[in-house]
Structures are given as structure tokens and as C-alpha cells.
Amino acid sequence: MRSLLPRRRHRRAVAAPVLAAALAAAAGCADVQGLRDDGDLGTVHAPQTLWKDIRPSPPGPGEQPGAAAVVPGLPKAAGRSMRDVNALAVVRADITAATRQDGGTGRLVDPRAVRRLALCTQAVDGGPDCPVRPPVLHDVTGDGRDELITAVDIDGRTSELRVYTVRDDGSVTRILSRRGVLEGVEVAAEHLALREPTSNPKQVSVSDYVWNPRTGAMDLAELTLDDCPALKAGSTKCPAIRG
């Protein structure tokens, strides 16, 4: 994987090659027969900042998608575990509350999500047309109790990923919400990784979320690029990876 986040420990390692390249450009290139002039190697330009006087407004109260939030309208979970909670009821309550809170702007949830949830029946699994993915129980907070991981598929491509936990007082709390094109969702120990397509058909982005007890939410810990698995002959896209 190649990290998209700058890492300070790399600076010292690249200093020597950059210095050597600068000296070579200034003095010409050396080979076994001596110095030779390669001509003008061009000018190095500093990055140009676009629209530096324009800044986005900060999110209003409750408008930060990744923030933890108690799901309203649900009874307390007696066993303090998502195993004792109806997963579909949790998703319904959360999506309904988020839609009402953001007024249909899409800041917190895709405006089509409520309409999609209307396809779910009263069956335990929501019925054959329900867009809610089968719930997965996995401990991502490290407290020994399982969290609920699920997603609402919106249009065959976009999905609303949700992760829920139960607080000590029994309240069901959303600790991660993420809208994206889920090529794959992976869990390992207290990590949850999302694989999403990029503009390069040979690479996917991988967002690694880790539990942060200070914020009470799953925070983005690392963002990297990963090469697609071996592409099939004639294929130009990453094969879908099921979570």
C-alpha cells in the first residue's frame, strides 16, 4: 500500500537524493567519460494554492457525519450488547432521525435512504426487497462486546455504512456513518477498513477506521492506495470485493 497521508519520517530519507539531483542539475551529469551538459532541465515550481481566500463554513451542531450520536426512539439494550437489539429497527430509527435532522440536505444521510427502507417488511430480515445488508456482529471497540455493522444499499452502487454500539447506560449509539461505493468492507481486531474505487481503474483507496475512546467514535486512522487483485483478461476494473 502507498500511503496518501504525509509521513514525517520520510523527509530525512529523501533529503540526500534530492540534494544529489540538485547538484547534478547545477553541474551537469557525470558519466564514465566525464561531465556532459544535458541542457535546461526545467524549473521547479512551488505548489499553487487555488481559491485560498475561500473557506467552507464549519458544520453546524449535529452536522458532522462521523460524530457519535445516540439513536433516538429505541429502548435501552438490557444486555449492553448489540446481540440483544433488532438490527433493522436500529437502522430505521437512525436513518429516520438523521433525515429529519439534516432536512433532506444529504449531509448526514442520502435523501433516498428512507424511501429505500420502505421496501423492508416486518420480517426479521426485512424481506427479499429490503436494502439493509445482513448484520455483522464484531467487537471493534475492544470492550469485549460486539458492535453491529451494516449498510443500506441506495442505488446498486452507493451505500450508507453504519456501525452501532451500546453504551454502559444501555443506549444504542452510532459510532460510524459513511456514504460510499463499497468495493469491500473488512474487519480485523479493532480495525474496520473500507475499500473504494478511485479514478485509476488499477487501484482502490483503503480507509482504515479505528475506535477512539476520547471521541467515542470510529476515527479515520490511515488512508492508503492499494493495487487491485490480479485483473482478469480483458477487464479494466477492480473485481468487486465482498465484505
Side-chain angles (χ1 to χ4, degrees), residues 79-221:
R80 297 194 303 171
S81 169
M82 291 306 302
R83 289 185 178 274
D84 303 319
V85 179
N86 183 301
L88 184 54
V90 171
V91 175
R92 285 183 189 273
D94 184 27
I95 295 297
T96 300
T99 300
R100 183 169 54 248
Q101 187 174 0
D102 73 11
T105 62
R107 290 189 181 95
L108 298 178
V109 64
D110 191 298
R112 299 169 292 176
V114 170
R115 188 166 64 251
R116 292 283 293 153
L117 281 174
L119 297 175
C120 299
T121 68
Q122 296 303 315
V124 176
D125 62 356
D129 297 323
C130 186
V132 179
R133 296 191 183 187
V136 175
L137 295 170
H138 185 86
D139 181 13
V140 294
T141 63
D143 63 358
R145 303 197 298 260
D146 286 331
E147 277 67 50
L148 167 66
I149 305 169
T150 188
V152 180
D153 294 325
I154 303 299
D155 56 10
R157 181 169 176 80
T158 306
S159 301
E160 290 276 351
L161 178 75
R162 293 289 191 274
V163 181
Y164 304 94
T165 193
V166 178
R167 290 181 175 174
D168 290 340
D169 64 357
S171 59
V172 176
T173 303
R174 183 186 68 239
I175 57 174
L176 176 64
S177 62
R178 170 69 184 273
R179 184 184 313 159
V181 179
L182 306 180
E183 287 281 1
V185 181
E186 302 162 356
V187 288
E190 297 164 25
H191 291 254
L192 187 146
L194 308 182
R195 301 173 68 87
E196 299 178 89
T198 69
S199 58
N200 183 344
K202 296 182 179 180
Q203 292 183 317
V204 293
S205 69
V206 182
S207 304
D208 184 23
Y209 288 88
V210 178
W211 170 248
N212 185 340
R214 293 191 302 275
T215 63
M218 299 288 290
D219 289 349
L220 180 64

